[in-house]
């Protein structure tokens, strides 16, 4: 979803109309994304409301010239990690704690990155993750193997770019 700099500037300045516009455009998407990660529609709804409360309280940090999806998904990631830390992690023994947190963090990272990909690239990447070969993907999507290879290369490069400078301990609280 794309919003103009004027809508994001209005939100940053406290416009409830701009907030409502963004809320209506993003709420179901954010809730579905959280539900996909945590497998609980009620929890997804609750955490989505927390995401938008945080969006409102941190609106002064919005840069209208930067990608808003990145901004809101950073809030989503923070809320999901916080939930995992406080509700799932305490029930896990110390030996399993780091491993499960790392797995959830990796799942979240991949889900965020794939949600940002163009539709065709996302489809190719998802089919690849399900174990289909590039030949099978090209046949299924009626496109050349070279096009599949290029889309997968771009997907991996996008993920590498996001990983540069990324420190999971800053987000997940596990030091």
């Amino acid at each position: 979803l794309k919003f103009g700099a004027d809508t994001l500037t209005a939100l940053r300045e406290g416009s409830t109309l701009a907030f409502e516009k963004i809320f209506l455009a993003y709420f179901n998407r954010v809730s579905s994304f959280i539900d996909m990660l945590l497998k609980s529609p009620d929890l997804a709804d609750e955490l989505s409301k927390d995401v938008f409360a945080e969006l409102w309280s941190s609106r002064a940090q919005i840069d209208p010239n930067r990608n808003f999806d990145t901004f809101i998904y950073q809030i989503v990631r923070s809320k999901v990690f916080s939930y995992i830390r406080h509700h799932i992690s305490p029930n896990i023994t110390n030996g399993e704690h780091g491993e499960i947190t790392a797995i959830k963090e990796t799942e979240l990272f991949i889900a965020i990155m794939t949600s940002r990909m163009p539709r065709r690239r996302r489809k190719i990447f998802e089919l690849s993750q399900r174990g289909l070969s590039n030949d099978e993907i090209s046949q299924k999507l009626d496109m050349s193997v070279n096009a599949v290879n290029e889309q997968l290369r771009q997907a991996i490069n996008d993920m590498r770019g996001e990983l540069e400078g990324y420190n999971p301990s800053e987000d997940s609280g596990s030091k």
Side-chain angles (χ1 to χ4, degrees):
L1 300 173
K2 299 285 182 194
F3 285 97
D6 55 336
T7 301
L8 298 176
T9 299
L11 174 61
R12 186 176 66 191
E13 294 172 355
S15 166
T16 55
L17 188 59
F19 178 79
E20 182 179 354
K21 185 177 182 180
I22 290 170
F23 178 89
L24 292 172
Y26 276 89
F27 186 84
N28 287 337
R29 192 170 157 195
V30 166
S31 184
S32 295
F33 181 72
I34 294 171
D35 183 38
M36 177 188 71
L37 294 169
L38 299 177
K39 311 289 190 248
S40 169
D42 291 339
L43 179 59
D45 187 65
E46 179 184 328
L47 288 178
S48 297
K49 290 173 185 171
D50 291 347
V51 165
F52 285 93
E54 177 71 21
L55 173 63
W56 180 255
S57 65
S58 63
R59 68 188 181 277
Q61 298 172 20
I62 294 172
D63 181 348
N65 300 314
R66 300 204 51 161
N67 186 331
F68 181 73
D69 281 358
T70 300
F71 186 82
I72 198 161
Y73 279 103
Q74 285 173 339
I75 296 172
V76 170
R77 185 172 74 184
S78 173
K79 293 297 178 187
V80 170
F81 283 149
S82 179
Y83 176 81
I84 290 169
R85 253 193 331 273
H86 294 99
H87 295 91
I88 296 174
S89 295
N91 300 324
I92 299 171
T93 65
N94 284 340
E96 297 172 316
H97 181 271
E99 184 178 323
I100 290 186
T101 301
I103 290 168
K104 282 293 183 190
E105 184 169 336
T106 302
E107 288 174 357
L108 179 60
F109 174 77
I110 291 170
I112 289 171
M113 288 307 302
T114 55
S115 74
R116 292 182 187 166
M117 290 178 188
R119 183 177 302 134
R120 191 147 181 95
R121 185 176 307 155
R122 180 175 49 240
K123 181 71 174 169
I124 292 167
F125 181 79
E126 288 170 350
L127 291 171
S128 172
Q129 293 301 299
R130 291 186 196 140
L132 271 67
S133 71
N134 292 2
D135 286 334
E136 292 169 325
I137 295 169
S138 73
Q139 290 172 4
K140 184 174 182 80
L141 299 180
D142 193 30
M143 59 191 300
S144 75
V145 174
N146 286 339
V148 170
N149 289 336
E150 178 61 20
Q151 289 298 311
L152 287 173
R153 186 190 64 73
Q154 288 178 357
I156 290 167
N157 284 341
D158 291 347
M159 288 187 185
R160 277 189 191 131
E162 285 291 320
L163 278 172
E164 287 178 12
Y166 177 66
N167 183 353
S169 63
E170 290 176 3
D171 292 323
S172 66
S174 58
K175 302 223 182 231

